[in-house]
Amino acid sequence: IFFRFSSVAMGYGVPVAVLAPAGGVYFFSEAYVRPGMFKSNKPQFMRDTFTMSHRSKYPIPGTFVANMNLWDYVRNSVGMFFLMGNLSRPTAMGTPLTLATFFVGGTCGAFSWMMLRKHMPPVDASQWDRACFASAATAALAGASLAHPFLRLPGNVPLVAFSALWTGEAAAEEYIASSSGDPHNGVVRQQGVAGGLLLGLSLAVFLRSRASGMALVKQLKMPPPS
């Protein structure tokens, strides 16, 4: 009943959106983030699956659903639910393109973070620092939502307004309110919001341009008025 109601109210991709927050792994606590874990050369499943070093050669998909604290988990889960639930409508982007945007956004966020760490490392950076990219993947959906200004949340709230507020909070968390670094042991943070957002905005521009072009073609093909 819940899935049927959700699909009617928001979109056919809502069942996926409900599962997405459940996959937003919230595992970071004192049991996992402890001094020395990032410096260890021994394989560690949680660390190697859900966090990524800036020295990695390629992004790790598990980092796209990983959160480092309870607030990140709540924020990203809410963002995933509303953005995926609306964008996956058949009248919007559809479920396949929405999921592709999510994962490509996380990939772009990861690559942007690796490039910044290589060429412009922060003052408090440590060689042991690691990152998650759930915020970057969700930011890609927030950017893509600009292509569909007609979408509304419950209460007739524009989805683009929600996207703007969500993105502002996520960016502030990454660039302003993040905790200070630990040069001796390293820290793990949400990173790559700018990279994911850029991917989403680029997709939004493409979708809007494509829609405008198709509308113009249809208009030109219309028979002249009698």
Side-chain angles (χ1 to χ4, degrees):
I1 296 176
F2 174 74
F3 284 123
R4 184 178 302 175
F5 171 77
S6 300
S7 296
V8 173
M10 296 178 63
Y12 294 109
V14 165
V16 177
V18 173
L19 296 177
V25 182
Y26 168 57
F27 63 90
F28 282 102
S29 63
E30 293 300 325
Y32 294 107
V33 180
R34 58 186 184 274
M37 74 167 290
F38 297 143
K39 296 192 293 185
S40 174
N41 293 325
K42 297 180 179 180
Q44 299 186 42
F45 176 78
M46 298 297 285
R47 181 199 65 187
D48 299 337
T49 303
F50 297 110
T51 69
M52 193 182 82
S53 169
H54 61 91
R55 297 186 297 270
S56 299
K57 296 181 179 179
Y58 49 84
I60 301 173
T63 61
F64 304 163
V65 294
N67 297 279
M68 65 180 183
N69 55 51
L70 183 59
W71 173 244
D72 283 348
Y73 176 78
V74 172
R75 182 192 64 235
N76 291 332
S77 294
V78 171
M80 289 181 196
F81 180 84
F82 285 117
L83 289 167
M84 279 191 175
N86 281 273
L87 293 176
S88 57
R89 291 181 179 182
T91 55
M93 290 170 54
T95 299
L97 182 56
T98 299
L99 292 177
T101 302
F102 180 83
F103 285 102
V104 176
T107 301
C108 291
F111 277 122
S112 67
W113 176 68
M114 287 191 289
M115 291 181 61
L116 286 174
R117 281 301 306 263
K118 180 178 180 180
H119 299 289
M120 293 186 298
V123 177
D124 58 352
S126 167
Q127 62 174 323
W128 313 111
D129 287 344
R130 302 182 75 88
C132 306
F133 303 100
S135 293
T138 311
L141 298 178
S145 68
L146 296 180
H148 304 283
F150 59 89
L151 293 175
R152 294 288 190 274
L153 298 180
N156 202 33
V157 178
L159 182 64
V160 292
F162 171 81
S163 298
L165 291 174
W166 186 95
T167 303
E169 200 287 328
E173 182 75 15
E174 176 178 346
Y175 296 106
I176 300 176
S178 58
S179 59
S180 59
D182 184 350
H184 301 291
N185 297 306
V187 295
V188 58
R189 296 169 174 161
Q190 287 289 338
Q191 300 285 354
V193 171
L197 181 63
L198 180 61
L199 182 279
L201 292 175
S202 301
L203 178 60
V205 171
F206 171 78
L207 293 176
R208 292 291 292 179
S209 301
R210 179 174 176 269
S212 300
M214 293 181 64
L216 179 61
V217 169
K218 290 181 179 180
Q219 185 176 1
L220 293 176
K221 288 183 178 181
M222 291 178 61
S226 55

